Amino acid sequence: MALLKKAAIGWLIIVIGLCCFASYLIPNSRLNSSVLSLLPQTQVNDVPTEVIDGFQNRLDKQLVWLIKPANEHDLSAVQWWYSQLQEQPFISQVNGLIDADFQQRWGQFSYHYRYQLIDENTIERLHSQQQLPWILSQIYSPFSGININELNHDPLLLTRSAQLNQLSQTSHLTVKNNWLTAKDDQGQTWYMIYAELNNSSFNMDSSHQIVTHLNQLAETLQQQWPETEILKRGVLFYSDYASNQAKSDISTIGGLSILGIIILIYAVFRSIRPIVLTIISITIGILCGLIAVLALFGEIHIITLVMSTSIIGIAIDYALHYLTERLRHGNQESAYQSLLKLISTLTIALLTSLFAYLILLFTPFPGLKQLSVFAVFGLIGAFLSVICWYPLLVNKLPVREDVGQRLLSTWLALWQHKIMQLTMIGLACIFIVSGLFRLTINDDIGELQALPDTLKQQEQQIITITDQSSDQKWFVVYGDTAEQTLQRLEHFLPQLQYAQQQGWFGKYQTINLPSRQKQLQNIQQIEQYAPSIIQGLQDLGLNIEPLSFEPSSLKFITPTQWQQSVISQGRKLLWLTLPNGESATLIPISRINNLAELKKLSDRQSGVQWLDRRQEFNDMFTAYRVNLTHLLMIAVSVICLSFMYRNRHYGIKNALKSTLPTLLSVGCAISILGLTHQSLNLFSMLALILVIGIGIDYSLFLSNQHNQASSSLLAVTMAALTTLLSFGLLVLSHTSAIVGFGMVLVGGIFSAFLFAPLAQISQNK
């Protein structure tokens, strides 16, 4: 007992220290809600991971609105919304207004670098001797608005050509009333405004405040202009929705778990003391798990937190086994003797659960690593609280030697009959076959996040109206330097244009920044072809001065200058330069008709890679699911062989029977997915690891020769009920993957409990 008191004091000091550490750690950590944070940080071929992350982080900050006034010429609502966004401190820039100042700055930049920025159409006309006829068509067109001042400053109309070429690539988007607009299928005009956030969309507190404020602004707009429609699109809105749903899941699942456990414990023990003791051990377990995750990762993912609430059902097992022992035998043995009686079984139960969760630590998924760390340290904290403190705190615990005695004895007696065994096993086999027959497989990453219909409908409307894509299917062109990247892009574009002509896809978008080499070639071509064109204009009687410039004195546009200029508007997100100089550009592809041939384009040139992030993650989920299936088959085989070896002295028939709880729990866990129309995926397989690790405990406790069967069954029954309660409540989650995770655990753990008496029976024969 002296050693126990020292351990109790030592653990108390550690817990106090953990509380102090938590008071510092929690305010300085963050709650993450990004789905991508749950996924492996894998490198796609030779594309630097930093490049992909950089593009994704910038895209995640984008917000888009489409506004349709009742009268398309009454722009007061559009102007009000634009001005309101400009005043918000959380927005770094707002775009969509193409006013006189914007057009002047665009014209000045384009004019200053007109020789460097000549477009492909101009180059083609120069080579085919068609530039002069094109200039004349513009001069004599009654709609072009060319004046003598423009001809004198830019006789080749290079600035005008570049502007017309850029407008031709905007697809459904046009400039109307100095605003960026698009028309829907009914011919109605929508005004487009887009903005960029200062910070990440996945900061839960700030994101919720931002979304709430934007929603209030939208309500104000529609109150002032009732017939005005407004659509929104952005990762921010999905992130906030997911965060709110996860918070709801945590409060619902955690709250109901605790409430159910309290009711169950009071119904059995008829005392408040066991409730207080179990809450203490659970709270310390959760504290240990949370501190470990925050200390190691600096954050915890919201989905990890939801799933981590389920360890309540396991952490309470240690308390229940000890308290049940005291409830049944408190008058026959001391509190310390009860601990000695259970310590080995409790330790084995802890180790099997830790082993199951530690397997998750070696998965490549950050979210599951966090869950593993949370569970391992949480269970250890709960375990130490039980063995260090409980023997000193249960002196006045009421004793009820006959609690559940008749019911549990009857249940064990039923399992002694061969008919009962064969009937239950037969029903389980029918259940398993029925479920497996209906089972489907779905490795879609979309199962990780619940998406609201209203936001999805608005996003689809915006995609349809603007003719933009949300598929995130891209070619990424990258290089060690910006110049290398731009040259690779220019070498790749002809292949892409050929693929487009072949009908492999509908359209693409790229930056309008030439490489330094290309800019020099453009200048040289102007120097070569300009004299004859000027002469042609002069021969027609136009008083045009010859071009006078020194090509060597002209400056080249750098990527930094381009990104800071207005001509990059709408395209600057497609360019990224890392601090080490590595650069990359995205080429979004939409309306794909021949994916197989399109993907082959990246095989023909170094520095070009096809990216379809969703499909890549789906493929990765499939690969990990298959590999994990093989590992689980090996694990189940090893466990069954171990049980057979452990029970070999009872005969081959009983040795085989001892493996049934494990085999049937695995089969039922998978089959319940098919019967409840849930899909099998990677998370389902990961849940099976926990089913095996937790389910073994029930067989171990019932086969422990130091315990009476009915006493062990009472403890196992309560442990199973609390575990089923905590894991079962996961089915209330709004996230499909978590629902499937919970269904597998419920089906597997209930089956492990249901057939656990077979382990005890096999040793009694």
Side-chain angles (χ1 to χ4, degrees):
M1 283 295 291
L3 180 62
L4 180 63
K5 291 180 180 179
K6 290 180 180 179
I9 294 172
W11 180 237
L12 178 62
I13 294 172
I14 293 174
V15 170
I16 293 172
L18 289 174
C19 291
C20 296
F21 187 38
S23 64
Y24 162 77
L25 197 61
I26 293 175
N28 293 286
S29 303
R30 74 186 188 111
L31 198 58
N32 191 348
S33 61
S34 170
V35 172
L36 295 179
S37 299
L38 291 171
L39 305 176
Q41 303 300 308
T42 55
Q43 182 167 323
V44 181
N45 295 329
D46 297 325
V47 183
T49 304
E50 296 80 6
V51 167
I52 306 301
D53 292 342
F55 278 124
Q56 192 65 56
N57 290 337
R58 285 162 58 179
L59 291 171
D60 288 344
K61 295 180 181 180
Q62 303 308 302
L63 302 174
V64 177
W65 291 271
L66 287 186
I67 301 175
K68 187 186 74 173
N71 182 348
E72 66 179 70
H73 299 294
D74 180 8
L75 305 182
S76 53
V78 179
Q79 292 167 341
W80 182 85
W81 185 259
Y82 185 85
S83 62
Q84 289 296 315
L85 292 179
Q86 285 184 310
E87 295 174 4
Q88 305 309 318
F90 51 81
I91 288 181
S92 61
Q93 59 178 322
V94 186
N95 302 294
L97 177 61
I98 316 294
D99 57 7
D101 177 65
F102 177 92
Q103 295 180 44
Q104 183 180 16
R105 287 185 290 123
W106 194 98
Q108 287 175 347
F109 189 92
S110 298
Y111 174 75
H112 186 70
Y113 293 103
R114 62 191 182 280
Y115 303 127
Q116 296 90 327
L117 288 171
I118 59 174
D119 57 275
E120 291 301 318
N121 291 336
T122 298
I123 293 173
E124 185 177 339
R125 289 195 296 266
L126 288 174
H127 292 169
S128 61
Q129 308 297 321
Q130 293 300 310
Q131 183 66 12
L132 179 58
W134 180 81
I135 295 172
L136 294 177
S137 70
Q138 294 295 308
I139 292 174
Y140 295 115
S141 170
F143 305 105
S144 63
I146 293 178
N147 55 45
I148 192 65
N149 188 50
E150 181 179 357
L151 274 175
N152 283 331
H153 286 88
D154 186 12
L156 301 188
L157 300 184
L158 299 178
T159 305
R160 176 178 289 263
S161 178
Q163 183 178 25
L164 292 173
N165 182 64
Q166 182 160 336
L167 288 174
S168 68
Q169 296 180 2
T170 57
S171 185
H172 280 39
L173 298 178
T174 57
V175 177
K176 182 177 182 179
N177 299 326
N178 291 334
W179 290 91
L180 202 58
T181 65
K183 286 186 178 292
D184 58 22
D185 294 338
Q186 289 74 40
Q188 296 175 314
T189 300
W190 293 79
Y191 291 84
M192 180 177 182
I193 297 176
Y194 57 102
E196 183 173 334
L197 294 169
N198 282 318
N199 300 310
S200 170
S201 299
F202 300 108
N203 185 318
M204 289 184 60
D205 292 333
S206 63
S207 293
H208 184 64
Q209 294 173 3
I210 292 171
V211 171
T212 301
H213 185 63
L214 290 174
N215 288 339
Q216 290 172 349
L217 288 177
E219 290 175 4
T220 303
L221 181 145
Q222 294 188 308
Q223 287 172 0
Q224 295 184 21
W225 296 276
E227 297 182 6
T228 297
E229 294 185 40
I230 182 169
L231 305 175
K232 63 186 178 184
R233 177 188 183 189
V235 173
L236 171 72
F237 304 113
Y238 287 114
S239 173
D240 179 65
Y241 177 85
S243 300
N244 291 334
Q245 294 300 319
K247 289 178 181 178
S248 174
D249 287 349
I250 291 171
S251 60
T252 301
I253 295 170
L256 290 177
S257 292
I258 296 295
L259 180 62
I261 288 169
I262 289 174
I263 293 173
L264 177 64
I265 293 175
Y266 187 79
V268 173
F269 290 92
R270 307 291 174 84
S271 172
I272 300 297
R273 183 183 290 260
I275 296 174
V276 174
L277 290 175
T278 52
I279 290 177
I280 289 174
S281 63
I282 290 172
T283 302
I284 292 175
I286 292 175
L287 178 68
C288 291
L290 183 61
I291 289 175
V293 171
L294 295 180
L296 291 174
F297 299 96
E299 65 176 23
I300 186 168
H301 198 281
I302 190 70
I303 290 183
T304 302
L305 200 55
V306 173
M307 297 174 73
S308 296
T309 58
S310 62
I311 75 159
I312 293 173
I314 307 174
I316 200 176
D317 286 359
Y318 315 125
L320 290 178
H321 281 295
Y322 184 81
L323 293 173
T324 302
E325 180 66 24
R326 296 301 301 157
L327 181 72
R328 297 294 296 270
H329 307 293
N331 293 331
Q332 304 169 18
E333 58 193 27
S334 68
Y336 185 66
Q337 288 174 326
S338 296
L339 177 63
L340 293 178
K341 185 177 179 180
L342 292 175
I343 187 67
S344 61
T345 308
L346 288 174
T347 303
I348 293 174
L350 173 67
L351 292 176
T352 54
S353 296
L354 293 184
F355 177 75
Y357 276 108
L358 280 172
I359 293 177
L360 302 184
L361 189 62
F362 296 97
T363 65
F365 297 90
L368 293 176
K369 290 179 184 290
Q370 290 184 11
L371 175 62
S372 174
V373 170
F374 192 106
V376 166
F377 284 90
L379 293 179
I380 291 174
F383 173 80
L384 291 176
S385 299
V386 170
I387 65 171
C388 292
W389 291 348
Y390 276 33
L392 303 175
L393 300 174
V394 295
N395 292 330
K396 296 182 180 180
L397 188 72
V399 176
R400 299 175 64 203
E401 296 181 358
D402 60 344
V403 62
Q405 179 73 34
R406 180 177 299 178
L407 178 63
L408 297 176
S409 298
T410 302
W411 176 246
L412 284 177
L414 285 174
W415 276 100
Q416 298 293 330
H417 299 289
K418 185 174 293 185
I419 295 178
M420 172 70 171
Q421 298 175 29
L422 293 176
T423 300
M424 294 298 293
I425 294 172
L427 290 174
C429 290
I430 294 173
F431 180 89
I432 292 171
V433 172
S434 300
L436 292 178
F437 183 75
R438 295 174 173 82
L439 188 65
T440 59
I441 297 175
N442 184 4
D443 294 312
D444 187 1
I445 184 181
E447 299 295 305
L448 289 175
Q449 190 172 42
L451 301 179
D453 292 335
T454 53
L455 286 180
K456 287 193 292 185
Q457 290 170 1
Q458 290 188 55
E459 179 176 25
Q460 188 56 51
Q461 280 184 270
I462 292 175
I463 290 171
T464 302
I465 294 170
T466 61
D467 193 30
Q468 295 178 341
S469 174
S470 63
D471 292 340
Q472 291 197 351
K473 293 180 172 65
W474 312 308
F475 281 104
V476 58
V477 182
Y478 59 96
D480 296 331
T481 63
E483 180 64 15
Q484 184 184 49
T485 300
L486 290 171
Q487 289 185 22
R488 286 176 170 176
L489 173 64
E490 289 160 358
H491 186 263
F492 178 66
L493 284 178
Q495 301 178 50
L496 198 60
Q497 291 163 358
Y498 172 79
Q500 187 180 35
Q501 293 168 2
Q502 297 301 308
W504 296 353
F505 66 95
K507 69 170 188 173
Y508 69 94
Q509 186 179 16
T510 186
I511 60 174
N512 55 344
L513 171 64
S515 66
R516 182 187 178 95
Q517 181 186 64
K518 178 67 172 174
Q519 292 179 55
L520 180 59
Q521 292 174 356
N522 290 344
I523 294 170
Q524 291 172 344
Q525 291 189 81
I526 295 298
E527 185 181 23
Q528 176 184 350
Y529 291 102
S532 61
I533 296 174
I534 298 297
Q535 184 62 51
L537 292 172
Q538 291 173 343
D539 292 344
L540 292 171
L542 296 172
N543 187 20
I544 304 297
E545 294 293 330
L547 294 181
S548 58
F549 66 92
E550 290 292 334
S552 59
S553 66
L554 295 175
K555 295 181 179 179
F556 298 100
I557 310 170
T558 65
T560 301
Q561 288 176 310
W562 175 81
Q563 283 190 300
Q564 293 174 349
S565 71
V566 294
I567 72 163
S568 68
Q569 191 126 148
R571 304 191 188 194
K572 65 176 63 179
L573 291 175
L574 302 179
W575 178 265
L576 177 69
T577 298
L578 300 177
N580 63 1
E582 290 181 316
S583 300
T585 181
L586 291 180
I587 308 176
I589 306 294
S590 61
R591 297 200 297 268
I592 297 172
N593 301 316
N594 193 335
L595 180 60
E597 291 296 328
L598 194 60
K599 291 168 65 175
K600 292 179 183 178
L601 293 180
S602 61
D603 300 332
R604 303 171 187 172
Q605 181 181 332
S606 61
V608 179
Q609 179 63 49
W610 170 255
L611 288 183
D612 181 352
R613 300 210 75 196
R614 179 162 187 156
Q615 188 57 49
E616 287 168 0
F617 284 126
N618 290 349
D619 293 342
M620 181 176 57
F621 272 35
T622 300
Y624 283 125
R625 175 181 53 76
V626 172
N627 292 336
L628 190 57
T629 300
H630 296 156
L631 290 174
L632 283 172
M633 291 173 65
I634 295 173
V636 170
S637 299
V638 170
I639 291 170
C640 290
L641 289 173
S642 299
F643 269 108
M644 290 174 65
Y645 179 79
R646 185 169 181 259
N647 296 292
R648 66 189 185 280
H649 302 299
Y650 304 100
I652 186 64
K653 182 178 179 181
N654 291 312
L656 289 172
K657 187 184 294 184
S658 68
T659 67
L660 288 178
T662 299
L663 294 175
L664 293 175
S665 65
V666 171
C668 290
I670 297 176
S671 298
I672 198 172
L673 292 174
L675 294 173
T676 57
H677 306 291
Q678 294 286 327
S679 299
L680 177 71
N681 54 34
L682 176 64
F683 282 82
S684 307
M685 302 306 296
L686 291 168
L688 276 181
I689 297 174
L690 304 184
V691 167
I692 295 170
I694 298 168
I696 290 174
D697 291 352
Y698 303 151
S699 297
L700 289 173
F701 276 106
L702 285 182
S703 61
N704 184 3
Q705 298 299 321
H706 298 289
N707 298 338
Q708 293 182 14
S710 60
S711 178
S712 297
L713 186 56
L714 175 61
V716 167
T717 301
M718 292 191 65
L721 287 174
T722 54
T723 303
L724 287 171
L725 184 64
S726 58
F727 282 126
L729 289 171
L730 290 177
V731 301
L732 300 178
S733 172
H734 296 85
T735 303
S736 180
I738 295 180
V739 173
F741 190 84
M743 293 299 297
V744 170
L745 287 167
V746 168
I749 291 172
F750 178 75
S751 301
F753 163 73
L754 188 65
F755 294 100
L758 289 174
Q760 190 263 342
I761 292 169
S762 65
Q763 293 187 357
N764 292 339
K765 295 292 183 181

